[in-house]
Amino acid sequence: MEYLEFELPIKELEDQLQKCMVIGEESDVDVTETCQQIEKKLEETRKDIYKNLTAWQRVQLSRHPNRPYTMDYIKAICGDTFLELHGDRNVKDDKAMVGGLGKIGDQSYMFIGQQKGYNTKTRQYRNFGMANPEGYRKALRLMKSAEKFGIPVVSFIDTPGAYPGIEAEERGQGEAIARNILEMTRLKVPIIVVIIGEGASGGALGIGVGDTVLMLENTWYSVISPESCSSILWRSWEFKEQAAEALKLTAKDMKKQKLVDEIVREPLGGAHSNREKTFEIVKNKISAHFEELKKLSPKDLVKTRMEKYAGMGVFHG
């Protein structure tokens, strides 16, 4: 397990507990009471640290190397029922954007989402979760297929942004994202969006329009990353903590601004600390929200979705 800087007190206590148990096993000394004391202290420290996280610490947790990615959620939720679909029928298959059909119980869903890599090789293969225009066009193709067959869409967001390379711009990155936003607002099937990690800029918005937008507790959603914001305002990355605070990018801030519909609680220590529990929570949330959304007719679904987004940012003086 890898630890972030603010998690080091937890690591120290876990190391102490491990040593204590080893001493108990290798000698006749009864260390039960000592171990219990350390366990109690560990539990208190955990609660204390994760109860008072800053915006920047949540950004760090959203990028934790052990945090589950889109394919982890899909495989855990759908099991063997998932069938991955490839290509945008235009340029190529974008490995940073994944999608396909899968089932939760007896209900079929079209899953789409950005996929990051686990090591240097897979990160390059997945382009660090930064999709090209063909990735967004692939996502749109899959959503249109879902609409044709009356299948609800589930979108997992986890990206540091759309790929900013010159070839992406040449192939129409901005147009691809704008097209997706337009088409998603009028898609005639339920769309459930789940922010599972980083939700940066237009890269996230390209698959982020939904009837229900869920945001995991330790994730962020913003027009710009704290580092980029810091480098623009202060010409340095050193002020990223201040930028994170000012951007109001945490789940709590987003819920307060009515930009997301629900905060999904993570196990203590973050999604990576108990993956199975996290998968179960997300699976149940998707099913519960679909049960509500399926009651609406396609016409009402689109009308409600459009009204929801048209009402964002409205200010009554």
Side-chain angles (χ1 to χ4, degrees), residues 233-269:
L233 294 180
W234 290 283
R235 301 277 185 271
S236 161
W237 278 27
E238 284 177 29
F239 300 91
K240 52 189 183 288
E241 287 95 336
Q242 278 172 255
E245 208 64 53
L247 282 167
K248 303 290 180 204
L249 42 67
T250 65
K252 207 172 177 181
D253 293 321
M254 292 309 252
K255 180 76 173 75
K256 195 177 174 186
Q257 304 287 352
K258 295 186 172 63
L259 298 173
V260 299
D261 300 296
E262 189 182 334
I263 299 169
V264 179
R265 296 273 168 234
E266 292 181 26
L268 189 68

Side-chain angles (χ1 to χ4, degrees), residues 139-313:
L140 181 57
R141 181 178 76 80
L142 298 184
M143 288 188 277
K144 283 290 185 185
S145 295
E147 182 182 49
K148 186 179 178 181
F149 297 106
I151 297 167
V153 174
V154 175
S155 172
F156 290 113
I157 292 178
D158 186 12
T159 180
Y163 184 58
I166 191 165
E167 62 271 37
E169 297 300 338
E170 284 170 350
R171 292 196 297 274
Q173 186 71 286
E175 189 277 336
I177 291 170
R179 169 71 53 192
N180 276 25
I181 293 170
L182 170 68
E183 295 293 349
M184 286 181 90
T185 55
R186 57 191 190 190
L187 207 72
K188 293 182 175 69
V189 289
I191 309 171
I192 297 165
V193 176
V194 190
I195 299 158
I196 58 170
E198 299 185 88
S201 194
L205 280 180
I207 57 166
V209 178
D211 301 293
T212 302
V213 180
L214 310 175
M215 195 167 172
L216 265 69
E217 201 176 354
N218 298 310
T219 61
W220 62 278
Y221 199 19
S222 173
V223 72
I224 194 169
S225 71
E227 293 94 330
S228 300
C229 179
S230 173
S231 64
I232 290 169
L233 294 180
W234 290 283
R235 301 277 185 271
S236 161
W237 278 27
E238 284 177 29
F239 300 91
K240 52 189 183 288
E241 287 95 336
Q242 278 172 255
E245 208 64 53
L247 282 167
K248 303 290 180 204
L249 42 67
T250 65
K252 207 172 177 181
D253 293 321
M254 292 309 252
K255 180 76 173 75
K256 195 177 174 186
Q257 304 287 352
K258 295 186 172 63
L259 298 173
V260 299
D261 300 296
E262 189 182 334
I263 299 169
V264 179
R265 296 273 168 234
E266 292 181 26
L268 189 68
H272 60 281
S273 65
N274 190 340
R275 285 171 159 234
E276 280 65 40
K277 192 178 177 186
T278 306
F279 297 146
E280 193 61 33
I281 292 167
V282 171
K283 179 181 173 179
N284 293 337
K285 288 285 178 192
I286 291 168
S287 296
H289 283 285
F290 173 66
E291 286 302 313
E292 289 302 309
L293 292 170
K294 74 176 185 183
K295 295 171 187 173
L296 296 173
S297 68
K299 194 179 176 182
D300 289 338
L301 201 64
V302 174
K303 185 172 177 279
T304 309
R305 191 187 305 144
M306 284 190 168
E307 282 172 358
K308 172 187 163 181
Y309 281 90
M312 283 182 182

Side-chain angles (χ1 to χ4, degrees), residues 120-145:
T120 307
K121 193 178 177 183
T122 56
R123 281 180 193 129
Q124 286 176 323
Y125 178 73
R126 298 288 183 186
N127 200 29
F128 300 87
M130 295 188 290
N132 276 282
E134 50 272 21
Y136 292 100
R137 289 176 181 133
K138 169 164 90 170
L140 181 57
R141 181 178 76 80
L142 298 184
M143 288 188 277
K144 283 290 185 185
S145 295

